[in-house]
Amino acid sequence: MLSKNRMVVFAVAAGLLLSGTACDTQPEPRQVPPEIVPRSEPEPLQVEPQVVSREEQAEQTALERVDEMLEGGPEIEAVEPDQAPVEPSRAKSLAFKHVDSEPTDHVANAKKLLNSQEMAEAMLELEKALYDEPRNFTAAFLLGKTAYRSGDEDLAADAFLLAVEIDPDADEPWLHLARMALDDKNLTEAEHLVQRALHLNGKRAASHNLLGRIWLARSHWQLAIRSFEKALSLQPQSAYYRNNLGYTFLLSRRFDRAVEVLEPLAARTDLPAFMHNNLGLALEGIGKLQEATGQFKIALERRPAYVKAQVNLDRLVRLAQRNQDTDTAESGDEDLILADDE
């Protein structure tokens, strides 16, 4: 169940995306959403006033009147030099009010704390950084990532939305918001958000991978395959993107392609157990039962309590026993009637 805060957050995110963004994995083109939050204009340079004669001043006034008539009216009044940039609307709710006895780099402090896995202390430092500088994109984005890792998804969503408010052209906050929407099975919102991220940066492999996961959740195998292939082409060394592509081929029962994609992973010594299990299923699908058995055993070595790998291994052991019994019976005078698979 979503908390009320999360429902509000994703409603806001959905409101920011008036429509989805088209990409090469989209079945129908969508309108590119407009930039939602304009950047604040930089402060004008402050220059010393120049002394001009009355004649020069009169001539300049006349020229300005001519310009107004040609352009249809006077220019919009410029921002005063001493006017401060607009503060993001979410900054106050996330900032931690404090007074530093001396200048302090709270973002740097937070990064040191994160290296020591001191998550709560790091988040406090980032909130202090936002109090000192409400438009600090790094502090907002890092606060979102840290809160997400800590399980505080309400805070994470608010921080990512603040990052978007500060810099709507940065793709990573949109990507993280999309990941959170997918976690909550809000597939439509997740798709719109990741399409926004891809519109801003089409070369980030993680965004294509996330779009593939969205298609996978909808059982659109071919679209998922195209997204995972794009992610893997951008980051060929990623075991996770390769696993996701192979897993999709497994689900679509294209076992030969699954083996082709997953088999290069077998040589890696740092592979998670579930990837060995997936490779085992692919090998079983093309009839390489001995090799499949080996992969299930490796999966259990990596994770002894891995139930799925144990079930798969037991199934192949039973199958091998049946085949052995069949061979024995065919070599004798009696026929053996095998029961249906369990």
Side-chain angles (χ1 to χ4, degrees), residues 8-192:
V8 170
V9 163
F10 287 120
V12 170
L16 291 176
L17 294 164
L18 300 180
S19 62
T21 305
C23 79
D24 58 357
T25 56
Q26 185 75 2
E28 297 180 0
R30 298 172 179 269
Q31 295 296 318
V32 176
E35 184 178 7
I36 306 305
V37 183
R39 298 173 183 269
S40 60
E41 293 294 329
E43 295 182 357
L45 296 175
Q46 298 185 16
V47 297
E48 292 295 328
Q50 297 180 345
V51 178
V52 295
S53 64
R54 291 183 179 179
E55 292 77 12
E56 290 175 331
Q57 187 175 4
E59 181 181 357
Q60 183 63 35
T61 301
L63 289 173
E64 288 174 354
R65 288 174 180 170
V66 171
D67 288 341
E68 289 179 15
M69 287 187 290
L70 291 175
E71 296 174 5
E75 295 182 355
I76 298 174
E77 185 177 354
V79 178
E80 290 297 325
D82 59 349
Q83 182 174 335
V86 177
E87 181 176 311
S89 61
R90 295 179 177 273
K92 289 183 179 179
S93 64
L94 296 177
F96 183 83
K97 188 175 181 179
H98 67 286
V99 176
D100 293 319
S101 58
E102 57 185 24
T104 304
D105 188 340
H106 292 289
V107 173
N109 290 347
K111 291 178 179 179
K112 292 178 183 177
L113 291 165
L114 287 173
N115 288 334
S116 305
Q117 299 299 312
E118 299 177 65
M119 313 293 278
E121 293 83 354
M123 286 190 286
L124 180 60
E125 287 295 311
L126 293 168
E127 289 168 348
K128 289 180 178 180
L130 287 172
Y131 179 80
D132 293 342
E133 188 182 349
R135 302 194 65 84
N136 189 326
F137 174 85
T138 301
F141 181 60
L142 192 55
L143 177 60
K145 291 177 65 176
T146 307
Y148 182 74
R149 287 171 55 192
S150 302
D152 190 344
E153 296 189 352
D154 286 340
L155 175 58
D158 278 333
F160 288 137
L161 284 172
L162 173 59
V164 165
E165 194 173 351
I166 295 170
D167 185 1
D169 290 336
D171 66 302
E172 285 190 281
W174 295 104
L175 173 59
H176 283 274
L177 285 167
R179 183 176 289 116
M180 295 180 67
L182 179 60
D183 290 345
D184 290 325
K185 303 187 187 307
N186 294 331
L187 301 183
T188 300
E189 290 83 353
E191 181 191 350
H192 289 171

